[in-house]
Amino acid sequence: MGGSTSANVVLGVGGGIAAYKACLLLRLLTEAGHQVTVVPTAAALRFVGAPTWEALSGRPVSDSVWQDVYDVPHVRLGQRADLVVVAPATADLLARAANGIADDLLTTTLLTARCPVLMAPAMHTEMWLHPATQANVATLRARGVLVLDPAEGRLTGADSGPGRLPEPEQLYAACLPHLPSSSHPTAASAVSEPGAVGVPGPLAGRRVVVSAGGTREALDPVRFLGNRSSGKQGYALAEVAAALGAEVTLVSANVYLPAPTGVELVKVESALQMLAAMTAASESADVVVMAAAVADFRPARYVDTKIKKTHDPDDPDAAPTITLVRNPDILATLVADRAKRAAGTLSGSSMTPATPLIVGFAAETGDASGDVLDHARAKLTRKGCDLLVANQVGSDLVFGQDVTTVHILAPDGSVQRGAPGSKHDAARQIWAAVAQRLGERPGL
Ligand code: CTP
């Protein structure tokens, strides 16, 4: 691949229902300027047909070694590839690859490739955990094949567990360290440095800041007030933005998810820390998304030693009273800071006045006074942001779940209603709405 910024990528596709996700991965790779040859197995073509792969890749597609034999494709494709990525890799495909079987174009390509090979398994949990599959994965890894762990979550049917194909943006991020370094971070710098700078895409050249997770408000060194936010939506937003070409800062509060590749990660714990990190990162941002669940209140007093029970026999049930004070509203503060910056009055700001587009979230349950959208509309007005993403929460809805439904509200009263989907689907919907707004605001 030399000094070029584009690579020859072979996208192998196994015969699993997750083959549809490989279409989006293909899109991300071609939009970044890479030449992608899709090599499906015969079974993969039963899920997604050759015309789809050909139209999306702009190249002929075959699963057979008997087509265009004069060009010796079963050898040529592997030899010329800079990266082979197989998604989804089924149990059968892993077994054939581990045993060196070469009975179709994809498996011959795997034997002739001398470049990095990345395989993303996807199958039902039982098949993934079976000792035969685990032994095949161990064999492939011992040979230097990069076999990703499958994601956990909803599988083809109603069941869930490990075996899900990671989202296209996560697969793309896993490819990044093996693609030309002039447009992507190296493996070593992938986590700490802003990522896919220079990658063409709807957010190319944009600096975006996303908050994620839930803040914790400390009572003493061992206790805190917290909330149930998993951070999944914020992390999905960061991953999708990076894949769309943005330079991403992710301000993360208490999230136990792997750091997204190619994203600058800033870890915070409390609302006050998040306010400081978001204020600093937002000054030079084009877009700010407040996806975090910020505690509205914090204990008025932090006790710097562990609060102990009293042992008074006359008052065995004695318990301390915790007084709370209001936390700042970070979203509203960012909107107000922007207005002050625009008016050139924000003292102490040495940055060029920036005008980030500001997106808020509204986690609502709906109640007697109105439904989710009624509350979201009121919140949009109250907070003064440019877009508000509303979703319904409850003890079993959204928090920590993989399926969500978001509606995007704008100050002009328009509502873009979403359908149930993954948090990455929601992130794509949100960034599409943001990209549209950015296009309408050429000054940004
Ligand atoms: N938010 C914030 N700072 C806070 C509270 C919330 O920046 N102290 C942000 C959230 O990140 C989200 C939006 O404001 O983008 C709405 O959060 P939500 O918890 O739904 O609303 P609240 O402001 O807490 O309003 P209410 O308690 O009335 O529902």
Side-chain angles (χ1 to χ4, degrees):
M1 86 192 149
S4 157
T5 56
S6 79
N8 285 319
V9 179
V10 170
L11 173 58
V13 186
I17 187 79
Y20 76 92
K21 286 190 185 172
C23 299
L24 290 171
L25 173 60
L26 171 57
R27 200 64 195 247
L28 291 168
L29 288 165
T30 54
E31 280 182 1
H34 303 298
Q35 283 91 48
V36 188
T37 305
V38 182
V39 185
T41 61
L45 291 173
R46 296 178 75 126
F47 289 96
V48 179
T52 300
W53 302 118
E54 290 185 347
L56 289 176
S57 68
R59 290 169 168 250
V61 165
S62 170
D63 66 315
S64 162
V65 294
W66 301 112
Q67 202 166 318
D68 300 330
V69 178
Y70 61 91
D71 202 24
V72 204
H74 73 286
V75 175
R76 183 184 53 81
L77 279 176
Q79 283 176 339
R80 288 193 194 160
D82 298 311
L83 171 69
V84 177
V85 48
V86 183
T90 58
D92 174 68
L93 193 48
L94 291 169
R96 287 193 289 144
N99 287 286
I101 291 170
D103 57 356
D104 63 6
L105 190 56
L106 180 52
T107 44
T108 52
T109 300
L110 288 172
L111 282 188
T112 51
R114 293 295 174 268
C115 60
V117 176
L118 204 149
M119 300 184 87
M123 63 201 74
H124 265 80
T125 305
E126 293 81 356
M127 297 174 84
W128 170 246
L129 294 178
H130 194 283
T133 305
Q134 290 300 308
N136 290 329
V137 169
T139 301
L140 290 164
R141 283 181 174 157
R143 280 190 209 134
V145 177
L146 302 152
V147 184
L148 301 181
D149 282 326
E152 284 201 30
R154 177 97 187 261
L155 301 170
T156 313
D159 48 347
S160 61
R164 231 174 109 84
L165 188 69
E167 294 299 318
E169 291 80 8
Q170 293 169 318
L171 297 172
Y172 179 68
C175 294
L176 281 180
H178 311 289
L179 292 169
S181 56
S182 51
S183 61
H184 298 295
T186 60
S189 69
V191 171
S192 57
E193 285 185 11
V197 185
V199 179
L203 296 177
R206 302 291 192 180
R207 291 172 64 91
V208 313
V209 183
V210 178
S211 70
T215 64
R216 286 181 182 173
E217 311 302 323
L219 282 158
D220 69 14
V222 294
R223 302 185 182 91
F224 59 82
L225 300 178
N227 61 66
R228 294 177 190 273
S229 175
S230 67
K232 285 180 180 175
Q233 185 62 76
Y235 273 50
L237 279 159
E239 282 163 0
V240 173
L244 295 176
E247 188 180 331
V248 185
T249 300
L250 177 60
V251 177
S252 168
N254 313 300
V255 177
Y256 298 96
L257 294 170
T261 306
V263 163
E264 185 191 12
L265 186 62
V266 180
K267 292 196 172 186
V268 296
E269 190 173 314
S270 66
L272 292 178
Q273 289 170 358
M274 179 167 276
L275 173 67
M278 289 301 291
T279 303
S282 300
E283 283 198 337
S284 57
D286 296 303
V287 187
V288 176
V289 183
M290 276 299 301
V294 184
D296 290 319
F297 312 101
R298 68 178 183 279
R301 201 168 72 89
Y302 172 74
V303 183
D304 59 12
T305 52
K306 187 181 170 198
I307 301 167
K308 305 282 281 177
K309 289 192 292 288
T310 54
H311 299 282
D312 180 354
D314 295 333
D315 190 5
D317 296 329
T321 300
I322 299 166
T323 306
L324 300 176
V325 292
R326 285 281 277 264
N327 263 332
D329 185 322
I330 301 174
L331 180 59
T333 306
L334 294 174
V335 171
D337 284 354
R338 177 180 68 175
K340 287 185 208 155
R341 256 202 312 274
T345 58
L346 189 67
S347 61
S349 171
S350 58
M351 308 291 296
T352 317
T355 318
L357 190 129
I358 300 180
V359 183
F361 265 70
E364 301 290 350
T365 55
D367 58 23
S369 67
D371 66 10
V372 170
L373 286 181
D374 294 332
H375 287 296
R377 266 185 216 103
K379 199 165 279 183
L380 175 64
T381 310
R382 207 165 57 237
K383 306 258 183 179
C385 51
D386 302 299
L387 290 172
L388 192 89
V389 181
N391 57 18
Q392 186 156 7
V393 294
S395 58
D396 58 344
L397 283 169
V398 180
F399 282 118
Q401 298 291 307
D402 293 316
V403 176
T404 184
T405 305
V406 297
H407 308 299
I408 304 174
L409 289 77
D412 62 9
S414 65
V415 181
Q416 210 186 87
R417 287 170 183 272
S422 71
K423 292 193 172 175
H424 284 78
D425 290 335
R428 282 179 214 113
Q429 187 190 339
I430 293 162
W431 287 123
V434 166
Q436 190 191 344
R437 292 259 144 182
L438 288 175
E440 289 164 4
R441 297 170 64 177
L444 274 173

